[in-house]
Amino acid sequence: MIPTKQDIRKLNEDQLKTWLTGHGEQGFRSKQIQEWLWKRSVRTFDEMTNLSLKTRQLLAEHFEVRTLAVSKQQQSSDGTIKSSFRLYDGNLVEGVLIPALRKDEDNRMTACISSQVGCSLTCKFCATGYMDRKRNLEASEMVDQVVAIDQQAKEAYGSGLTNIVYMGMGEPLLNYQNMLESVERITSPNGLGMAAKRITVSTAGIAKMIKKLGDDQVKFNLALSLHAANDDKRNQIMPINESNSLPALAEALNYFYQKTGTRVTFEYIVFNNFNDTLQDAKELWQFTKKVPAKVNIIEYNPIAEADFTNTDADKLDQFAGFLENRGVIVNIRRSRGKDIDAACGQLAGKQ
């Protein structure tokens, strides 16, 4: 579907003010309209009740509010909810609501959102990596996923979102400006008003963009999908490593830390008989000494396109124990939503 009108959410407050005054409207209406769009999340001009009928008709004549719709929703046996979102042009992306399971998780409600339709990075263990990248998501489309998942959380669990992770489909740092704008809209008092420290952006590792995050002094958390602390192994499963080696990433991550003071999280999926030995743990420990970091060890979630399997429980415990005995902060992340293909690495926008 080819849009016939301009997307009003692509205009900032000043641009909208200029447009309004050029069409005989009062400039202060721009702030009201922006509040309706970003703070109250309305999706039709008719809902903007403090605007005159004439102003609303003028806006509807020239603009549209491009929205996403839930195409399909599934609930896992563990309470995780996965949604397939249909975008204004018919493309699909997936987002996930992950409710807290344990009392020590502080009633956490996490939204996992996508940043691209598909992905160009071809990581061998990830379902999205077997798709083509069709396009970047607009900032508004990332915000809309958060709004939709927040509503799901309130309806299903009586509690809104507490955390957001950019860990769905796509590489956020290859959609840099839209991703940053979406974070600004989510955290702004004139937007959704969430704390930046409740947001984590995950990257497969693009050194120059990690440095740019540092230069921009972002306030959110950064996670690196590491999965091997050995260039030869990482090249095998993550082709991006061939142009962004571990030494280059270590330099970029240290630059990010110096600029922001934020410790990085290393995400490490343990694959059976690939990266789960004590030698692999030793290499990971040595890499953590180069960059102030903590480690999330993640269970692997099988996909049809790849032959990897999850390591066994004893190996996983030995791996984690090796790191903990050397002072590394380690969390073991158990899979959530595996039975509906909603777990880490399984999102692919399939119907």
Side-chain angles (χ1 to χ4, degrees):
M1 182 178 69
I2 300 173
T4 57
K5 298 177 184 177
Q6 187 176 4
D7 181 1
I8 194 168
R9 287 191 290 174
K10 284 193 173 183
L11 300 184
N12 62 33
E13 189 174 327
D14 288 339
Q15 290 169 328
L16 184 54
K17 183 176 182 178
T18 299
W19 187 92
L20 287 165
T21 55
H23 285 76
E25 293 287 329
Q26 295 169 303
F28 74 86
R29 296 293 183 197
S30 175
K31 186 173 183 179
Q32 293 176 323
I33 294 165
Q34 292 278 314
E35 182 175 295
W36 281 114
L37 292 170
W38 298 108
K39 190 170 187 175
R40 304 195 190 190
S41 303
V42 307
R43 296 297 175 256
T44 68
F45 298 114
D46 286 340
E47 295 173 90
M48 300 179 182
T49 51
N50 60 354
L51 304 182
S52 69
L53 179 59
K54 173 177 165 289
T55 302
R56 283 179 270 161
Q57 288 173 338
L58 179 68
L59 292 172
E61 185 181 336
H62 292 274
F63 296 105
E64 63 183 359
V65 186
R66 294 179 190 165
T67 60
L68 55 74
V70 177
S71 177
K72 185 178 181 181
Q73 183 173 310
Q74 297 169 275
Q75 184 155 347
S76 167
S77 57
D78 65 22
T80 298
I81 297 174
K82 181 176 79 169
S83 298
S84 179
F85 296 114
R86 188 171 297 282
L87 309 176
Y88 75 92
D89 59 0
N91 279 308
L92 293 171
V93 294
E94 291 185 337
V96 182
L97 169 64
I98 308 163
L101 273 183
R102 306 189 310 268
K103 289 181 180 177
D104 63 352
E105 290 180 314
D106 230 8
N107 295 320
R108 182 176 296 189
M109 287 282 165
T110 302
C112 175
I113 66 169
S114 295
S115 57
Q116 296 178 309
V117 182
C119 187
S120 59
L121 295 191
T122 67
C123 297
K124 303 306 180 189
F125 51 86
C126 176
T128 316
Y130 289 86
M131 302 172 63
D132 293 330
R133 188 195 73 82
K134 295 184 178 178
R135 69 171 175 87
N136 287 335
L137 293 188
E138 301 288 349
S140 58
E141 292 172 319
M142 288 178 263
V143 174
D144 281 354
Q145 291 175 72
V146 173
V147 171
I149 296 171
D150 181 60
Q151 185 62 34
Q152 290 173 345
K154 289 171 180 173
E155 291 173 358
Y157 297 103
S159 177
L161 292 178
T162 61
N163 295 73
I164 300 167
V165 294
Y166 286 68
M167 295 183 185
M169 297 165 59
E171 166 54 60
L173 299 194
L174 292 180
N175 187 12
Y176 190 86
Q177 285 307 132
N178 287 335
M179 178 274 291
L180 276 197
E181 185 187 338
S182 71
V183 172
E184 170 59 26
R185 297 294 189 183
I186 290 166
T187 57
S188 169
N190 297 317
L192 301 183
M194 289 191 69
K197 284 299 179 186
R198 294 285 188 169
I199 297 173
T200 300
V201 172
S202 176
T203 177
I206 301 163
K208 68 177 183 180
M209 303 311 292
I210 291 171
K211 287 183 176 180
K212 185 160 174 51
L213 288 173
D215 287 334
D216 288 335
Q217 297 190 328
V218 298
K219 305 298 183 188
F220 53 75
N221 301 302
L222 180 65
L224 174 71
S225 293
L226 186 62
H227 313 314
N230 168 311
D231 273 321
D232 289 338
K233 284 191 176 182
R234 200 164 188 267
N235 288 346
Q236 291 178 50
I237 58 173
M238 301 181 74
I240 187 68
N241 194 70
E242 294 171 11
S243 54
N244 291 266
S245 67
L246 291 171
L249 289 175
E251 180 195 359
L253 291 167
N254 272 308
Y255 184 86
F256 171 83
Y257 178 75
Q258 290 162 14
K259 290 286 189 177
T260 65
T262 301
R263 184 170 52 188
V264 178
T265 298
F266 293 145
E267 297 166 321
Y268 194 101
I269 296 174
V270 276
F271 303 107
N272 190 42
N273 296 329
F274 180 76
N275 66 348
D276 59 350
T277 67
L278 290 182
Q279 176 60 29
D280 293 306
K282 182 179 179 181
E283 290 170 354
L284 177 55
W285 167 57
Q286 290 171 337
F287 194 68
T288 64
K289 293 195 288 184
K290 298 178 182 179
V291 181
K294 57 184 179 180
V295 175
N296 282 349
I297 296 176
I298 304 169
E299 291 182 321
Y300 178 62
N301 305 298
I303 58 172
E305 296 86 350
D307 294 328
F308 295 106
T309 56
N310 194 22
T311 194
D312 63 51
D314 287 344
K315 274 188 176 179
L316 189 149
D317 289 341
Q318 289 173 17
F319 192 101
F322 180 94
L323 296 171
E324 287 172 335
N325 290 338
R326 284 153 183 81
V328 180
I329 299 171
V330 178
N331 293 300
I332 297 177
R333 298 295 188 201
R334 304 296 179 184
S335 292
R336 299 290 302 278
K338 238 192 302 200
D339 55 331
I340 56 170
D341 290 340
C344 181
Q346 293 184 320
L347 301 188
K350 296 179 289 190
Q351 282 291 70

